[in-house]
Amino acid sequence: MTDRPPIFFVHIMKTGGTTVQKMIRYRLPEMRVFPNNIEDPNRLVAHVNIPYLRGIPAERVQRTRVFAGHFPYIATKMLGCEVQTMTLLRDPVERVISHLKHHHRQEGGFTHWSRELREISNPTLQQLYNDQLLKPMFFLNHQMRIFSINEQDECGSFLQKTPVDESRLEAACRNIEQVDCVGLLDDLEDFRLEINQHFQLHTRPVKRSNEATNKVEVPQSLRDQIAEDNRLDIEFYKFAAALHRKRRGAAEPQSSSASA
C-alpha cells in the first residue's frame, strides 16, 4: 500500500499503449492493476465500460497502483479519489492507418459488428475506413474525442457517439493540459524515462507490441482523406506535441540528475 495517488493511464487505441502497459506493469502484482486477469473476467467490459469502472469497490481503488483501460479522460474524475494521469498520443493519420491494418488482419476487435463487413471476405482499407459503424468510433478525430467527452454526454464508453466540433477541440486542449505526463509515440523512450521520474516507477524498455506486420499498401488518396476528415485531431495533436516539447525543455536542466 502507498500514500501516493494511483496512476490513471488514458490508453488510446493504436498509440503504443500496450507497450507502455508492459513497461509499467512488469514489477506490479496483478491485483494492483486495473483491469487484471483475476478480478475482471470480461475483458472487453473491464477495458471500456465506464459504469463498471465506477462500480469497483473502494478497497480495490485504494490498493490499485495503475488504472489502464480504453476510457475517456473524464473517467479520471470518477473514482472518488485523486489520481495522477498520463497518456500517449500518435500522429492522427498514422494512428488511423494502424487501426485500419489491425482490422484488416481480421484478428478480432469490432469488425464483426458491421453487417456490411461481414459480407466481405477481405475488405480493403478503404472499405474499412468507409464503414459507417467503425468510422465514428475509431477513425474520426478519435484522440481529440477521448479528451473532449464530458459528464453531460452520459457515455457508457468511448464507443458511444459524441459531437465533434471546434468547441470540443478547445475542451480537449484544456484537458490535455491537466495531464501530468503527455508522451508521443515517436519519442517512446523519452516518455518511459519521464514516467520513471514523475511517478517513481521502475520501468524497462520493451519491444513494441501490436505493430502491424501486414504490408498492405495505403493509397495516397486514403491518406489524404484521413487527414481531411481528422482536421480537428491533427490540431489537437499539434497542441499536445507543443505542450510535450515545452515541458521537456523545462525539465532538461535537471534531467541529468534524474533517477531511472
Side-chain angles (χ1 to χ4, degrees), residues 223-253:
R223 286 184 174 273
D224 293 342
Q225 183 182 357
I226 293 170
E228 181 178 354
D229 291 344
N230 284 270
R231 177 183 62 83
L232 295 178
D233 210 26
I234 290 171
E235 290 300 314
F236 173 69
Y237 181 78
K238 288 179 179 177
F239 181 89
L243 177 66
H244 168 77
R245 290 192 297 269
K246 179 180 179 180
R247 289 179 175 179
R248 184 174 59 179
E252 278 178 358

Side-chain angles (χ1 to χ4, degrees), residues 22-91:
K22 288 183 178 180
M23 289 177 181
I24 64 181
R25 290 178 61 151
Y26 87 104
R27 292 185 63 176
L28 288 174
E30 189 74 5
M31 298 284 280
R32 299 206 63 200
V33 177
F34 176 90
N36 65 57
N37 294 321
I38 299 171
E39 298 169 288
D40 306 298
N42 190 320
R43 189 174 181 86
L44 174 59
V45 168
H47 275 83
V48 306
N49 188 272
I50 295 173
Y52 183 87
L53 173 70
R54 297 184 76 166
I56 64 176
E59 176 275 329
R60 184 176 181 187
V61 173
Q62 292 170 3
R63 67 172 153 84
T64 298
R65 180 70 174 118
V66 175
F67 290 87
H70 298 307
F71 296 105
Y73 172 75
I74 191 63
T76 66
K77 314 295 185 183
M78 298 178 176
L79 291 172
C81 69
E82 178 187 358
V83 298
Q84 301 176 94
T85 52
M86 56 184 278
T87 197
L88 186 65
L89 304 176
R90 184 177 189 176
D91 173 87

Side-chain angles (χ1 to χ4, degrees), residues 2 20 39 59 129 140 144 148 179-180 209 222 228 253:
T2 176
V20 171
E39 298 169 288
E59 176 275 329
Y129 183 72
L140 291 182
M144 187 218 78
S148 68
V179 175
D180 295 304
S209 300
L222 178 56
E228 181 178 354

Side-chain angles (χ1 to χ4, degrees), residues 96-104 125 128-129 139 222 226:
V96 171
I97 289 172
S98 176
H99 211 158
L100 289 170
K101 289 183 176 181
H102 168 80
H103 288 302
H104 189 264
L125 296 185
L128 288 165
Y129 183 72
F139 308 145
L222 178 56
I226 293 170

Side-chain angles (χ1 to χ4, degrees), residues 200-237:
Q200 287 80 56
L201 287 175
H202 298 284
T203 67
R204 63 176 178 179
V206 297
K207 184 179 179 180
R208 280 273 301 278
S209 300
N210 294 341
E211 286 190 277
T213 56
N214 45 333
K215 302 300 182 180
V216 59
E217 182 179 353
V218 183
Q220 185 60 46
S221 59
L222 178 56
R223 286 184 174 273
D224 293 342
Q225 183 182 357
I226 293 170
E228 181 178 354
D229 291 344
N230 284 270
R231 177 183 62 83
L232 295 178
D233 210 26
I234 290 171
E235 290 300 314
F236 173 69
Y237 181 78

